Amino acid sequence: MGRGRLRVYLGAAPGVGKTYAMLGEGRRRLERGTDVVAGLVETHDRPRTAELLEGLELIPRKTMVHRGVGFTELDTDALIARRPKVAIVDELAHTNVPGSRNAKRWQDIEEILDAGIDVLSTVNIQHLESLNDVVEQITGVPQRETVPDEVVRRADQIELVDMSPEALRRRMAHGNVYQPEKIDAALSNYFRVGNLTALRELALLWLAGKVDEQLDRYRAEHGIAGTWEARERVVVALTGGPEGDTLVRRAARIAARSKGADLLAVHVTSADGLTTGADPAALIRQRTLVESLGGTYHQVVGDDVSRALLDFAGGVNATQLVLGASRRGRFARIFSRGVSLTTTVHAGSIDVHMITHEHVSKGLRRPASRAALTLRRRAAGWAMALLAVPLLALGLLPFRGTLRLPSEILLFLLLVVGVALVGGMWPAVTAAVLSFGLLNWFFTPPLHTWTIDEPQSLLALMIFVLVAAMVSAVVDLAARRTREAARSSADAEVLSTLAGHVLRGESALPSLLARLKETFGVASVTLLERRDGEWRIAATAGGPPCTSPGTADTDVRIEEDLVLAVRGKPLDAADRRVLEAFAAEAAVALRQERLREAAERARPLAEADRMRTALLAAVSHDLRSPLASAKAAVDSLGSTEIEWSAEDRRELLDTASESLTTLERLVVNLLDMSRLQAGALGLSMRAVALDEVVPRAIDELGALRDKVDGDIPVDLPEVEADPALLERVLANLMSNAVRYSDVLVTASWYAGRVEVRVIDRGPGIRPEDYERVFMPFQRLGDRDNHTGVGLGLALSRGLTEAMGGTLTPEETPGGGLTMIVSLRIAT
């Protein structure tokens, strides 16, 4: 039996109707006679969703016990044993209870698919692994339950269940998504219009990428090489020339005319990896420009540039190709049409834009060529050409009657090749010409004249000169290519090292400049920035820095107001090319440093804004309940239409008092939290006996005090603390713990510190969530926003640390959570 097929219903947020759409599909298949069962469906107490389950066979869930609490999960084995045609399994990203065979529900679904059963499932965009951090940045809510993107991408069908943010908020306001007590908090937090709009866009873009993959696979399977204009993709070809910036900006404008168009830049390098006239610094700058405009940069290898461009454009299903008009001169165009015209002729259905620029027909700017050989070798070559050739002729004179002309020519040719190997092309050519003259004068009849009697001798001498020149050229070219390859390898190593420095943390810019100083052996390297018409030092490494571009031995202008200045020695053209790459990376590093500084300055403001937003969202709900209760009680007492009995009046007064006490506690917590963050909390530190503080803290719990048991040793040392604040800390910890189970408060001392333990036997929390419980205005999982503002633990830790103590959580043996308050023993 083959593998089953997976159909996933994708939504942007909870409540858009994924489960409803999935159940609707299941019922349609059931009505067509397909064997359909519901393995696990979460209705979330939504009546209309529950109605669709009627008539569907349900696989009973299995019960698992974790930390003394029972949970129900999908019974994978029972579902596979039932062997339906289609299984409905909700919530693909769900995390199974610890102890289950599989950690995630998607792994259960994989087993069901392997058994040949088709599966219908659901997932929200925030649960995709690749988008987890993006969603948290947008909503401020981390998602612990995730599913690998590849699992969803492998689905045979993905259906987007879409709904506008306004419609989803109306559905929520009508009570069709959450319970009434959770609606206000949800609408003012996760389900804000901006959040829902961003999540909806993420879902649409992710699904568009999936559709692109399906389209590419279909075209590949059916051998379709032509371009299908399902989506605009603009490819711009870059040569590393000065016209690249113009081409990138023009291509970006073309892409911007179509909503959602992609911009791709491509540079073709030769297969041998040697330089072809491209300026590395210009390519780095153009790559940065492309990425700043929302595009991507690519590099491909090919000897035929036109073919490589078209292959790349066809591979990405490009619809438009942007090329620069040729920089070659008129004479060069006589012999070749050039890359631009050749690409246009063979582009087929791809639209080609030929962009003119100020460098058209001005010729290609080749990099300055350095001598292939060292000065010492070239000097030795000239010495051999001018001295060894005459000495060879002198040495052959005694054998003139014995050796014939071909042998003499071969000996001179051997010497010319030796000159070429030592000194390069021009000394060898000189040796060849000089050898030709000596052979003609001393060894070709008639002797001691410039005339030659036999045509064969003339032909031999001409071939000698030609072969000598060709061998010299080949040797020189080989030496030049070897030097270029070595230079390119060294440059690549240096550039790789500097790129690594840029990626390494906050000291990237000083480290980069120091590396540049070491690489070129200069005295100092300075990055100058012009502000308000004056040059200022942005960063420097080495000796006395340059104060302006005019004081540098070599300077590279990165931007109009940004220059890299080098002092110590002038750099040649080849070194300058690497220096330009350094300069471009230095500019990137400077921008990164400025962005980090701006982010650091903005972080306190963002944190304050986040806390204000969370405060307003939380307080708007948490003030409503006690205010409403107190107002109702007072209004009832003040009513003249009803005559209240003494018992009723006492009950109303108790209600008003309890509500106002809750309100007072909330306001005090908020004020203390503000004082903590402002560093303005007043402390009255003294020796405090815990057997006096703990009972008072327990009394603050009111009716819940009976659920707390205190066990404080009578010989426990006093601690150094503010008694009022310590009482607040313990009361907050107890009130938080008592919601889950009975609470035990114990204390012990060791190594100069006293530890107070507030122990509960509730469900506990995972160790990786220990720090998150101390975040203000945030309850673990954001699932209980109606029970308080979420300040208790955050305030408790802040007050404890203000008194010189620590507050840490740990797991209670056997299940539950223990909060440990550690304070110094009073001296």
Side-chain angles (χ1 to χ4, degrees), residues 218-293:
Y218 178 86
R219 294 174 68 231
E221 291 172 352
H222 291 77
I224 301 172
T227 300
W228 284 9
E229 299 186 14
R231 183 176 182 177
E232 288 289 345
R233 286 185 175 85
V234 182
V235 173
V236 54
L238 300 178
T239 64
E243 75 283 356
D245 293 11
T246 301
L247 300 184
V248 170
R249 292 189 175 92
R250 179 63 63 88
R253 290 197 295 271
I254 294 173
R257 296 170 188 166
S258 300
K259 185 66 175 178
D262 293 333
L263 173 64
L264 302 92
V266 59
H267 172 66
V268 180
T269 60
S270 61
D272 59 12
L274 299 178
T275 178
T276 56
D279 185 348
L283 283 175
I284 292 174
R285 185 179 66 252
Q286 290 157 17
R287 176 175 186 166
T288 303
L289 177 60
V290 169
E291 293 172 349
S292 70
L293 294 172

Side-chain angles (χ1 to χ4, degrees), residues 515-710:
R515 178 68 180 182
L516 176 57
K517 173 183 173 295
E518 295 170 4
T519 300
F520 293 106
V522 294
S524 68
V525 179
T526 307
L527 188 62
L528 296 172
E529 187 176 22
R530 184 161 54 190
R531 296 181 186 175
D532 302 326
E534 296 182 0
W535 289 103
R536 301 182 182 180
I537 298 175
T540 186
C546 300
T547 55
S548 68
T551 61
D553 294 309
T554 303
D555 65 275
V556 174
R557 187 170 296 275
I558 308 170
E559 297 173 359
E560 186 65 27
D561 296 323
L562 194 63
V563 171
L564 185 68
V566 176
R567 171 180 285 175
K569 65 178 181 180
L571 300 180
D572 58 28
D575 287 337
R576 185 179 178 88
R577 290 165 60 82
V578 180
L579 183 65
E580 289 173 348
F582 266 98
E585 294 292 352
V588 172
L590 179 63
R591 281 192 288 269
Q592 290 177 343
E593 190 174 280
R594 294 284 167 78
L595 287 173
R596 279 195 297 269
E597 292 173 356
E600 289 297 328
R601 291 194 298 269
R603 183 173 288 111
L605 298 177
E607 180 66 19
D609 183 67
R610 187 191 69 79
M611 294 190 68
R612 278 196 299 270
T613 302
L615 173 62
L616 291 174
V619 170
S620 64
H621 183 276
D622 290 286
L623 287 178
R624 184 179 295 121
S625 296
L627 280 176
S629 299
K631 185 175 186 304
V634 173
D635 288 346
S636 298
L637 287 172
S639 174
T640 57
E641 299 177 358
I642 301 177
E643 185 175 347
W644 302 101
S645 65
E647 183 178 352
D648 290 338
R649 293 177 63 84
R650 185 166 53 255
E651 183 176 351
L652 288 172
L653 287 172
D654 289 342
T655 299
S657 176
E658 182 179 349
S659 299
L660 292 174
T661 300
T662 301
L663 184 61
E664 180 188 21
R665 186 181 301 116
L666 172 63
V667 172
V668 170
N669 282 347
L670 291 172
L671 290 175
D672 284 345
M673 198 68 195
S674 299
R675 293 190 186 102
L676 272 175
Q677 292 177 341
L681 184 68
L683 296 176
S684 177
M685 302 290 289
R686 62 182 178 84
V688 178
L690 283 172
D691 56 357
E692 297 177 1
V693 175
V694 171
R696 292 201 301 269
I698 295 175
D699 288 340
E700 283 195 24
L701 301 179
L704 296 176
R705 67 170 66 92
D706 295 334
K707 297 183 66 177
V708 180
D709 184 18

